[in-house]
Amino acid sequence: VVLLLTCVALAVALIVVLLNERDGNRNANDFVEPCAAGYTVDTVDPSRPGPFSDLSAQEIDSVRNYMLAQGNLQLTPWEHAEITDNYIYAIETHLPAKDDVLAFLDRGGPKPERLALVTVYAGGRTPPVVEEYIVGPVTNPSSHTIYILEGRKFPIPFNSRVPDRKENDVVHAKLRGVSETAYRVLKESFDTWLHNCTDRCLMFVDTAPRGFRSGQRKTWWYAMRDLQGMTLNPVGFMVEINTEGADTSQWRVERVFYNGQLFNSVQDLVAGYDQGTIEKATLPMPKDDNTLFSSFRRRGPPQPSTPLRAPELFEPDGKRYKVRGRHVEYMGWSFDWRMSTTHGPQLLDIKMNGERIVYELSLQEIGAFYGGHDPLMLSTFFLDTGWSM
């Protein structure tokens, strides 16, 4: 018995030794020790901007203060300006000429001067226009010149500008007036309205284009209930508002659409409703979250049936990409990127294995045609630049 136990023990020991030796060889040959650090990600250093870098907060302030100090421009600070004033709408990087950038990057030439593109809504001019200026150098501006882009209409018509908060504030006041005039119609039809609405509110969203002829600026605003999943709760009520020119006293409601019917004014809608000569709508307000189909509340059996933790991103050898401010390197690729106020995302100086293959890759515009049974959907062509996207 003792001899048998001894043999068994020796056999087990031999197996353990062989397994350890095999695992040791496998670890040495088949696995690479993890590198916990990986590549680095460095934040933007505003003191060392590259030729494609966006403006820093300090540079924007410097350009703004310079422009406001130019008496001949007659600019009003944005916080005090009205539509009929001249005020700065946007300040962003004005990219240098491509030849100058390549001379700096490839041939050791001088670093291009950093410049800013300043957009001014000049509602105080006669006639009102949109102006663009090149200002530089951005750290201590000393000059500004009007920017004229070849092939584009000059001066830029005032009615072609992107809407801003000042315009929308005036428009929303017009819409509140519509709500007050048509309060009974809105309450009985949709149980929601805009003015003094507390928990039964309508929200209005605009669309584009704002006209189909040169000089025209008319926008359809469509109403939806201010509920979870708001865009899934339209009520079939729309208002067209004319915002041509800089004189907001001339801005007006032009047409109203209600329950598939078009009216030339809010008063015509109310009169037809009171006289019973139009087809009325009845769209009850959901009583609670259980009857609101668009709520974010989860329905049905939970998925998965047994609660599990969410997935996690794990980088066993650290980051495989390197970031220095706005410069990115990954798997042989490298590029700079920026976010333009007027053109959206831009990729610049794109290289593969050190060879430049693209100088600039950027969005100039994104458009989406719509169609439908109402005047808003029939005339909608969403352009992202219409919302500064």
Side-chain angles (χ1 to χ4, degrees):
V1 175
V2 174
L3 181 59
L4 178 61
L5 292 176
T6 302
C7 292
V8 171
L10 289 174
V12 171
L14 180 60
I15 292 173
V16 170
V17 170
L18 291 175
L19 288 175
N20 287 338
E21 183 179 353
R22 186 193 67 180
D23 290 342
N25 292 335
R26 184 181 63 184
N27 289 335
N29 298 328
D30 300 338
F31 290 90
V32 177
E33 287 296 321
C35 175
Y39 290 117
T40 59
V41 175
D42 300 323
T43 57
V44 174
D45 183 357
S47 65
R48 301 177 60 187
F52 309 118
S53 298
D54 288 322
L55 300 180
S56 67
Q58 292 77 13
E59 289 171 333
I60 291 175
D61 285 342
S62 178
V63 172
R64 175 184 180 273
N65 293 336
Y66 168 82
M67 291 293 287
L68 291 177
Q70 307 309 303
N72 62 315
L73 297 181
Q74 299 178 316
L75 298 181
T76 301
W78 190 92
E79 57 271 21
H80 303 303
E82 304 290 340
I83 298 290
T84 51
D85 294 321
N86 309 319
Y87 61 90
I88 296 173
Y89 167 71
I91 301 175
E92 65 172 321
T93 298
H94 179 67
L95 292 177
K98 178 180 177 180
D99 289 343
D100 295 339
V101 175
L102 293 181
F104 168 69
L105 294 177
D106 298 343
R107 299 187 293 276
K111 185 176 182 178
E113 183 180 47
R114 281 174 58 73
L115 302 172
L117 176 65
V118 180
T119 303
V120 172
Y121 285 178
R125 308 271 191 255
T126 304
V129 293
V130 176
E131 299 171 339
E132 291 183 320
Y133 294 90
I134 304 299
V135 181
V138 294
T139 52
N140 186 23
S142 58
S143 67
H144 62 279
T145 56
I146 196 75
Y147 180 52
I148 301 177
L149 184 63
E150 185 178 353
R152 186 180 67 181
K153 183 180 291 187
F154 180 84
I156 303 171
F158 193 67
N159 287 336
S160 298
R161 72 193 185 282
V162 175
D164 63 357
R165 199 173 77 190
K166 294 184 184 300
E167 176 176 346
N168 288 339
D169 286 346
V170 177
V171 169
H172 278 283
K174 301 285 185 185
L175 292 171
R176 285 193 294 272
V178 170
S179 177
E180 292 170 355
T181 303
Y183 171 68
R184 178 167 165 255
V185 177
L186 298 176
K187 186 177 186 301
E188 293 180 359
S189 300
F190 315 123
D191 202 17
T192 47
W193 50 95
L194 179 59
H195 69 290
N196 303 326
C197 57
T198 61
D199 63 341
R200 294 179 177 270
C201 292
L202 281 179
M203 297 290 290
F204 283 85
V205 179
D206 62 337
T207 187
R210 293 173 171 82
F212 293 92
R213 297 190 304 272
S214 178
Q216 193 177 61
R217 190 176 178 85
K218 301 178 181 181
T219 306
W220 278 103
W221 292 76
Y222 62 103
M224 56 191 69
R225 285 173 171 155
D226 187 14
L227 300 170
Q228 285 187 348
M230 182 178 69
T231 55
L232 298 177
N233 289 275
V235 296
F237 181 70
M238 306 173 191
V239 180
E240 185 184 41
I241 297 184
N242 185 315
T243 56
E244 296 171 2
D247 184 357
T248 58
S249 67
Q250 299 300 311
W251 293 5
R252 60 195 178 275
V253 174
E254 295 232 322
R255 291 183 293 178
V256 176
F257 184 81
Y258 166 85
N259 195 29
Q261 302 153 94
L262 194 62
F263 302 89
N264 290 324
S265 68
V266 187
Q267 290 74 18
D268 287 351
L269 165 63
V270 173
Y273 188 90
D274 291 341
Q275 296 166 10
T277 58
I278 68 172
E279 186 176 344
K280 298 182 179 181
T282 303
L283 190 63
M285 183 77 167
K287 296 180 180 179
D288 52 42
D289 191 49
N290 292 323
T291 59
L292 179 60
F293 74 95
S294 62
S295 75
F296 304 148
R297 182 177 61 83
R298 297 183 64 176
R299 297 166 172 83
Q303 296 292 337
S305 56
T306 301
L308 300 175
R309 288 178 295 179
E312 297 182 17
L313 175 63
F314 178 56
E315 298 172 307
D317 295 322
K319 300 184 185 304
R320 304 172 69 186
Y321 54 89
K322 185 185 298 183
V323 179
R324 295 194 308 275
R326 297 296 177 88
H327 181 76
V328 179
E329 298 177 14
Y330 173 72
M331 304 286 282
W333 290 94
S334 68
F335 58 88
D336 288 79
W337 69 275
R338 66 180 295 264
M339 183 64 73
S340 167
T341 302
T342 53
H343 291 96
Q346 294 179 305
L347 302 182
L348 299 134
D349 197 26
I350 303 174
K351 296 181 179 180
M352 180 61 183
N353 293 329
E355 179 183 357
R356 182 179 296 110
I357 58 175
V358 177
Y359 178 76
E360 176 184 346
L361 180 64
S362 61
L363 295 175
Q364 301 303 305
E365 185 59 277
I366 295 180
F369 287 99
Y370 281 65
H373 70 284
D374 57 63
L376 181 144
M377 298 303 292
L378 286 171
S379 62
T380 295
F381 178 31
F382 276 119
L383 297 173
D384 278 1
T385 52
W387 285 266
S388 298
M389 296 171 63

